[in-house]
Amino acid sequence: MNTINYKNIKIAYSTIGKGKAVVLLHGFLENSTMWEFYINDFTQNHQVITIDLPGHGQTENLSYMHTMEDMADTVHAVLHHLNISEAIFIGHSMGGYVSLAFAELYPEMAKGIVLLNSTSKEDSQERKINRMRAIKAVKQNPDIFIGMSIANLFSENNRETLVHEIDKIKQEAVTTSVQGVISALEGMKVRKDREFILHQATFPILLILGKKDPVLNYDDAVSQIEGTSVELVTLPDGHMSHIENRNVLGDILLDFFEKC
């Protein structure tokens, strides 16, 4: 990983390959290692940039709260450093929130967005309460909180069949600092609704959902694209499509890159 200095912290990123720029943004409790399986295929014809968002992976914490706008600004700082003027963004879960914030802040730089197991909608009141409970839980025992959170992202069937993969993700997740976890939860809790981007965007948008996603209600997520030109792909499993539907997802993303 390379680093740049941004607001007195280090932002970690990698860049591999040449061609159309593709930015891969991880989700909550994840980091850029989540994309390892796809790097070789994606870099055949594209410049692939992975970034550890604030408080995750090798990137340091900015503040007590990392808003989606804060995270989008760190992404912009990396792209500015690399002299990249436009890119396709693939955001998993929280990374999708960041991609939409980026598109609002820097619309001229977005060539396409993939919302992978993500949504443009703000947190419901119930979800905001759950975020507050999560903040309390992580302060009391971060390892237990992280372990339970990761397992609950998979469809019930896959929690047994993908035990090895789940353990590997947990090992990565527990390297996230307690402050990094809290800062992200605080930022997600207050994020704004960006459904308007799905209606107004002049670039292609792809929404990829898991039919059995335990944390993102499928029907509710589908409702956000009614009356838009957003393309929908439904996969049969949970919130972790990059693991639960690993091979088919790679083909879907490569096809999307060609449309942008």
Side-chain angles (χ1 to χ4, degrees):
M1 296 289 281
N2 304 304
T3 61
I4 61 166
N5 290 318
Y6 172 79
K7 293 187 175 180
N8 298 317
I9 70 165
K10 289 182 178 178
I11 306 292
Y13 73 93
S14 70
T15 176
I16 310 170
K18 293 182 179 179
K20 196 183 297 180
V22 175
V23 178
L24 305 178
L25 299 177
H26 63 80
F28 176 57
L29 297 178
E30 298 171 328
N31 57 56
S32 56
T33 62
M34 69 164 282
W35 303 108
E36 286 177 345
F37 177 82
Y38 299 102
I39 296 297
N40 285 341
D41 285 344
F42 290 179
T43 53
Q44 296 299 314
N45 297 300
H46 302 89
Q47 179 182 4
V48 176
I49 301 100
T50 65
I51 300 170
D52 283 346
L53 295 169
H56 289 70
Q58 297 177 39
T59 292
E60 298 168 335
N61 292 301
L62 265 172
S63 60
Y64 178 78
M65 178 189 294
H66 293 148
T67 67
M68 301 305 101
E69 293 84 357
D70 290 335
M71 294 192 184
D73 283 339
T74 64
V75 173
H76 181 263
V78 172
L79 298 185
H80 178 74
H81 174 74
L82 295 173
N83 293 316
I84 292 172
S85 59
E86 56 182 15
I88 302 165
F89 295 83
I90 293 84
H92 180 241
S93 197
M94 183 182 76
Y97 311 155
V98 177
S99 298
L100 290 172
F102 187 97
E104 183 178 11
L105 291 168
Y106 310 102
E108 73 286 352
M109 295 183 70
K111 285 199 71 175
I113 289 179
V114 179
L115 298 176
L116 176 59
N117 311 115
S118 191
T119 179
S120 64
K121 295 186 177 186
E122 65 183 337
D123 272 359
S124 65
Q125 198 56 41
E126 179 185 2
R127 190 80 168 138
K128 289 178 181 179
I129 292 169
N130 287 338
R131 301 270 192 215
M132 293 301 297
R133 289 176 180 152
I135 290 167
K136 288 182 180 179
V138 75
K139 287 178 179 178
Q140 290 171 353
N141 195 319
D143 288 357
I144 289 178
F145 167 78
I146 288 170
M148 290 179 62
S149 297
I150 297 300
N152 289 340
L153 297 173
F154 290 79
S155 64
E156 286 191 30
N157 294 343
N158 286 334
R159 290 173 200 173
E160 295 182 10
T161 57
L162 296 175
V163 170
H164 175 72
E165 287 84 354
I166 291 171
D167 284 344
K168 184 179 178 183
I169 297 167
K170 287 180 182 178
Q171 289 169 17
E172 281 291 336
V174 296
T175 65
T176 311
S177 70
V178 171
Q179 188 54 59
V181 176
I182 293 170
S183 296
L185 286 166
E186 292 280 8
M188 289 188 289
K189 176 168 63 76
V190 301
R191 77 180 188 281
K192 63 184 280 189
D193 191 293
R194 288 192 166 89
E195 194 171 338
F196 69 92
I197 292 178
L198 306 188
H199 291 264
Q200 299 175 5
T202 57
F203 47 81
I205 300 177
L206 173 62
L207 176 64
I208 302 176
L209 300 174
K211 187 69 175 177
K212 298 177 183 175
D213 191 324
V215 297
L216 189 62
N217 180 273
Y218 177 80
D219 292 334
D220 187 49
V222 169
S223 71
Q224 71 189 303
I225 64 170
E226 291 176 5
T228 75
S229 59
V230 174
E231 182 184 354
L232 171 67
V233 171
T234 299
L235 296 174
D237 294 295
H239 194 71
M240 304 293 271
S241 295
H242 60 290
I243 296 170
E244 296 176 273
N245 308 106
R246 179 169 273 167
N247 292 308
V248 67
L249 177 63
D251 293 336
I252 291 165
L253 293 176
L254 285 170
D255 286 344
F256 181 77
F257 297 165
E258 299 308 311
K259 297 175 183 177
C260 297

